[in-house]
Amino acid sequence: MISPPIHELTDRARDVFRILVESYLDNGAPVGSRTISKISGLNLSPASIRNVMQDLEELGLLAAPHTSAGRMPTDIGLRLFVDGMMQANEPSPEERAAIEARAELGGPVEEALANTAAALSGLSACAGMVLVPKREPVLRQFGFVPLAADRALAVLVGDDGSVENRVVDLPGGMDPSSLQQAANYLSATLAGSTLSEARARIEREIRDGRAALDSAGATLVERGLAVWSEDSGHRPVLIVRGQAQLIDSGAAEDLDRVRQLLDELEGKEEIARLLDSAREGEATRIFIGSENKLFALSGSSVIAKPVRAMDGRVVGVVGVIGPTRLNYARVVPMVDFTAATMARLLR
């Protein structure tokens, strides 16, 4: 069901709807006509407010839970509110300082990103998420360990001390001495190069006949670098911090929803795919509840913002995930500010 344009609602309906949604987002509980009558300042009786709420329910903007006489916004209603009525609140100086301080703790970039995601989580009362392309390791050492007659384990040591392993198929005619020759060649020739730089250089040297390798060794080197280059380009790093924030005081009433959401966060590939869809465009993306099939069961919302380098390239995505009743007006600008902070980390 598609929500009506905001301008098609009467002034009275807009006022009642806005007050109801804001109250619901503040308290997480269905809102009744008497509550609206007391807090709104509208010159409307509870009976008149009930009539307006009924009209809004028929439009698909509100729903009445079975356990309450009050109303709450539907996913469609929240979308209408976020797109047409929400007044954003910029992060306070204290909130900005907290995010920047965590980002500037030092250490490896991934650790700084994790710290920043944790700060965002704590301030937003959501789980904080960061998606960045997997950085190509810079080669320091390369080795091959025989596993079988036709397979070997390729071991890459990065200049940051990281170690990664891949299984590669051996070409015919390979023996232990050939494996060692190929490893020595890679370590001596390519140290200090990224994978893409190493692969391009190896291809040129083999093509021009300048590689100090026999045919089988050249084939193995190409295969080893190819496995890493292809894998690295398709494995973004997803950092999630603050899952415990999702188990709030309202979670006890809906443990199944929280359990479903935590299960969804374990499926990092799906979450990464969703965040990656926010890379296009400049604006912050907001996914509300059933608008995305991934969160149809848990009733969760995601706010995501691309992180852009100085030259305009998208170098990552930052976001939060929480219940659909999260404080969009406060959290959206907070995600925007965090994206700007991370851009300085990743440039």
Side-chain angles (χ1 to χ4, degrees):
M1 182 175 182
I2 300 175
S3 64
I6 192 69
H7 63 79
E8 291 188 5
L9 298 180
T10 65
D11 290 343
R12 174 184 293 187
R14 280 199 296 271
D15 288 339
V16 170
F17 179 69
R18 176 182 54 78
I19 293 166
L20 185 149
V21 173
E22 289 176 348
S23 179
Y24 171 76
L25 295 180
D26 282 342
N27 303 308
V31 184
S33 57
R34 290 189 178 278
T35 300
I36 295 177
S37 179
K38 291 177 182 178
I39 67 175
S40 67
L42 300 175
N43 188 24
L44 294 173
S45 67
S48 297
I49 293 173
R50 279 195 296 273
N51 289 335
V52 174
M53 291 166 67
Q54 180 62 41
D55 292 341
L56 293 169
E57 186 173 353
E58 291 175 359
L59 289 172
L61 301 178
L62 300 180
H66 298 301
T67 57
S68 170
R71 305 295 205 286
M72 57 190 289
T74 61
D75 291 348
I76 294 172
L78 286 173
R79 170 57 62 189
L80 180 67
F81 173 80
V82 167
D83 289 348
M85 306 181 75
M86 182 180 75
Q87 298 294 317
N89 302 315
E90 289 301 314
S92 68
E94 293 77 15
E95 290 168 338
R96 291 170 180 256
I99 292 170
E100 290 176 330
R102 294 296 292 270
E104 295 169 359
L105 285 177
V109 170
E110 189 169 320
E111 183 178 330
L113 294 176
N115 289 333
T116 310
L120 178 60
S121 169
L123 292 170
S124 66
C126 300
M129 301 183 292
V130 181
L131 180 74
V132 291
K134 182 166 181 60
R135 293 194 162 205
E136 284 190 297
V138 174
L139 291 168
R140 185 172 76 189
Q141 189 174 351
F142 206 108
F144 291 104
V145 179
L147 296 177
D150 59 349
R151 288 186 306 152
L153 185 69
V155 182
L156 181 151
V157 180
D159 66 350
D160 60 355
S162 60
V163 179
E164 297 191 39
N165 304 315
R166 299 289 186 281
V167 175
V168 295
D169 294 328
L170 295 176
M174 291 296 298
D175 55 35
S177 63
S178 296
L179 283 177
Q180 188 61 51
Q181 180 192 25
N184 291 341
Y185 173 78
L186 280 170
S187 296
T189 308
L190 304 177
S193 303
T194 65
L195 281 172
S196 56
E197 292 168 346
R199 190 175 183 185
R201 180 174 176 180
I202 287 293
E203 288 174 347
R204 285 196 305 271
E205 293 200 359
I206 291 175
R207 183 183 62 241
D208 298 340
R210 292 185 287 111
L213 295 167
D214 58 22
S215 176
T219 300
L220 175 60
V221 166
E222 286 188 305
R223 286 181 184 178
L225 291 177
V227 167
W228 255 294
S229 299
E230 292 166 5
D231 184 58
S232 176
H234 292 87
R235 285 193 304 136
V237 175
L238 175 64
I239 301 169
V240 182
R241 292 292 182 271
Q243 290 95 320
Q245 294 279 2
L246 303 172
I247 308 175
D248 60 8
S249 58
E253 301 175 5
D254 199 357
L255 289 177
D256 287 342
R257 180 192 66 77
V258 175
R259 189 177 296 111
Q260 178 68 35
L261 175 54
L262 293 175
D263 287 345
E264 288 161 351
L265 285 175
E266 288 300 314
K268 289 191 172 184
E269 185 175 340
E270 292 294 327
I271 300 289
R273 190 174 297 121
L274 174 66
L275 287 182
D276 198 53
S277 70
R279 292 168 60 90
E280 302 300 325
E282 298 287 339
T284 301
R285 295 285 303 276
I286 302 174
F287 305 91
I288 299 176
S290 58
E291 290 180 349
N292 186 280
K293 65 180 182 179
L294 180 60
F295 302 118
L297 295 178
S298 65
S300 307
S301 287
V302 171
I303 299 173
K305 173 81 172 183
V307 179
R308 293 186 178 275
M310 296 292 289
D311 60 4
R313 291 179 299 111
V314 175
V315 291
V317 180
V318 61
V320 298
I321 182 170
T324 55
R325 57 179 175 78
L326 60 82
N327 189 335
Y328 297 91
R330 178 171 174 269
V331 176
V332 169
M334 196 176 292
V335 170
D336 289 346
F337 179 77
T338 305
T341 301
M342 289 187 172
R344 296 194 292 273
L345 287 176
L346 296 171
R347 65 186 175 187

